[in-house]
Amino acid sequence: MKNFYQNHFKIETLQYLRRVGSLTKTARRFDVHPSTLATWQHIGLEEFMKRELQNSQAIEPQKSTHALELRIQRLEQENEVLRQAARLFLC
């Protein structure tokens, strides 16, 4: 079964590899096969950082829009409860 690793994990792993300098030690520490780590190293840290930045910029508007839609829905429900309570107390 093929593992899927997030870009932020690859970035963290490659930064550690740069500090330590040992492919084997880094692979053991992060539980990644050494050949996978070598492939990531060949692609390069900067490429993964660029990909992460592109992904975060694409996802951010969707997250904020979704959060705002949920907040609007919650406020509409609260307003409805308040309207019903006002009707009960004013009648």
Side-chain angles (χ1 to χ4, degrees):
M1 184 163 122
K2 187 173 183 174
N3 291 327
F4 178 77
Y5 299 99
Q6 300 289 331
N7 285 323
H8 62 84
F9 177 77
K10 294 174 186 178
I11 292 167
E12 182 181 346
T13 305
L14 289 173
Q15 287 173 337
Y16 183 83
L17 176 60
R18 281 190 177 175
R19 281 194 309 273
V20 173
S22 169
L23 191 81
T24 308
K25 185 175 181 180
T26 303
R28 252 188 254 123
R29 167 118 167 37
F30 289 93
D31 194 29
V32 176
H33 196 275
S35 65
T36 302
L37 190 54
T39 302
W40 295 350
Q41 189 178 27
H42 178 71
I43 294 170
L45 177 62
E46 291 75 21
E47 176 64 25
F48 288 118
M49 292 175 92
K50 185 173 78 173
R51 291 178 187 179
E52 181 69 11
L53 181 63
Q54 289 172 345
N55 288 344
S56 66
Q57 288 174 345
I59 292 173
E60 190 60 35
Q62 293 173 352
K63 282 185 179 179
S64 62
T65 302
H66 182 66
L68 290 173
E69 288 172 349
L70 289 175
R71 181 159 171 79
I72 289 169
Q73 182 181 12
R74 189 174 60 242
L75 290 171
E76 287 174 346
Q77 289 171 347
E78 289 175 7
N79 284 342
E80 185 58 33
V81 168
L82 291 171
R83 281 187 201 103
Q84 290 175 1
R87 276 188 229 122
L88 288 173
F89 287 114
L90 296 177
C91 291

